[in-house]
Amino acid sequence: MTTLTIDRDRSVLLIETDEILAQYVSLDLEESGYHPVVATNSTAGLHKAIELKPALIVIDRMLAGESGLSLCSHLRKMGNNMPILLLMARDQIDDRVACLESGADDYFLKPYRSDEFLKLVRFYLQPTTAEKDQLRFGNLILEFASRRVLCHGRSIELTMKEFELLRFLMEHPREVLSREQILENVWGYDFLGESNVIEVYIRYLRLKIERDGEKRLIQTVRGIGYVLRET
């Protein structure tokens, strides 16, 4: 049996129960130069994500056996840091919040529209371009090319949204940033009402970059937002 070689930098794992939709999406991805791999349920999707380590994962929120949200959370808890997009049928505030709190980087609203979907895929898979090679704050170093963080010399793997959140904080050191500023610049969404999405991701970052005995770098400014500064 011949083993198919896949370029992981352009590989996209699509976890989709609807076979017709999966065919449309796969064909569009292939014609755009990507390498789609399809899983039709959450169990198969989990196995393929672990085995292939694709550059991008696209998950339908409605899956048989396990919801797309649960699968996304499961992947994040296992330490998978690749970008994850959720396909969703609704665009209510609670749906957006649930999407981001599950660990997804973004969502695409059905019905499927190839041009808009591929634009989103290109955004997450395009090479990072930046005027600087890295940002520094004390013992914290953020590298653009490798999309990794060094803290006290140790390497830390971040998801794309964790990376973008830390990047925004490091681009504005010692400046108090409101929740609205963070949402607009990191997620680009206009959230209405209460949401703890930012708090969830700040907690993720703190767990990764602030070990026991180390100084707290991400400070909470009660009633306003957050600031990156020394204690």
Side-chain angles (χ1 to χ4, degrees), residues 6-230:
I6 295 177
D7 180 359
R8 286 181 177 172
D9 290 337
R10 298 189 65 80
S11 61
V12 178
L13 173 58
L14 173 63
I15 307 174
E16 173 58 64
T17 303
D18 186 333
E19 295 184 5
I20 295 178
L21 177 58
Q23 290 177 359
Y24 279 123
V25 176
S26 295
L27 182 60
D28 286 336
L29 288 169
E30 286 180 353
E31 290 181 346
S32 297
Y34 299 105
H35 303 291
V37 176
V38 177
T40 58
N41 57 65
S42 58
T43 300
L46 179 61
H47 291 161
K48 288 184 182 294
I50 296 171
E51 177 187 2
L52 299 175
K53 295 181 176 60
L56 174 69
I57 299 179
V58 180
I59 305 175
D60 196 313
R61 179 172 179 174
M62 303 300 293
L63 292 174
E66 180 180 14
S67 74
L69 295 175
S70 297
L71 177 57
C72 185
S73 297
H74 192 174
L75 287 167
R76 292 307 192 206
K77 289 176 181 177
M78 292 176 62
N80 291 280
N81 296 312
M82 69 283 289
I84 298 178
L85 306 181
L86 283 178
L87 298 177
M88 302 200 306
R90 300 193 314 163
D91 187 22
Q92 302 299 318
I93 295 299
D94 58 345
D95 296 304
R96 296 182 184 183
V97 171
C99 166
L100 299 178
E101 288 182 348
S102 72
D105 294 288
D106 215 326
Y107 72 92
F108 185 82
L109 189 64
K110 295 180 180 179
Y112 175 69
R113 301 169 303 282
S114 60
D115 289 346
E116 295 180 26
F117 175 75
L118 292 172
K119 181 179 179 180
L120 192 60
V121 170
R122 285 192 292 270
F123 173 78
Y124 281 99
L125 294 186
Q126 67 185 359
T128 302
T129 56
E131 295 180 0
K132 299 180 181 179
D133 294 329
Q134 59 182 220
L135 290 173
R136 288 176 174 265
F137 182 83
N139 292 311
L140 198 61
I141 302 173
L142 183 146
E143 297 180 344
F144 292 114
S146 62
R147 299 194 69 84
R148 70 170 183 166
V149 170
L150 297 174
C151 186
H152 293 279
R154 69 177 185 274
S155 180
I156 300 173
E157 298 269 340
L158 300 180
T159 68
M160 180 169 284
K161 275 295 178 282
E162 290 168 353
F163 183 91
E164 294 301 328
L165 174 56
L166 182 59
R167 173 177 177 169
F168 185 59
L169 292 170
M170 292 182 70
E171 287 175 337
H172 303 273
R174 304 176 188 87
E175 177 183 340
V176 178
L177 301 170
S178 69
R179 298 179 76 261
E180 290 75 17
Q181 286 177 294
I182 295 173
L183 282 172
E184 180 180 352
N185 286 275
V186 177
W187 281 277
Y189 299 145
D190 181 19
F191 276 88
L192 300 175
E194 294 297 321
S195 165
N196 67 340
V197 168
I198 296 177
E199 287 75 9
V200 169
Y201 277 80
I202 290 290
R203 184 170 70 250
Y204 291 161
L205 282 179
R206 284 173 172 166
L207 288 172
K208 291 185 177 183
I209 68 175
E210 298 173 356
R211 289 187 173 179
D212 294 340
E214 295 179 355
K215 294 181 180 180
R216 168 143 291 185
L217 296 177
I218 304 175
Q219 308 288 325
T220 301
V221 181
R222 193 170 300 278
I224 301 177
Y226 297 91
V227 58
L228 185 70
R229 66 187 177 200
E230 300 87 348

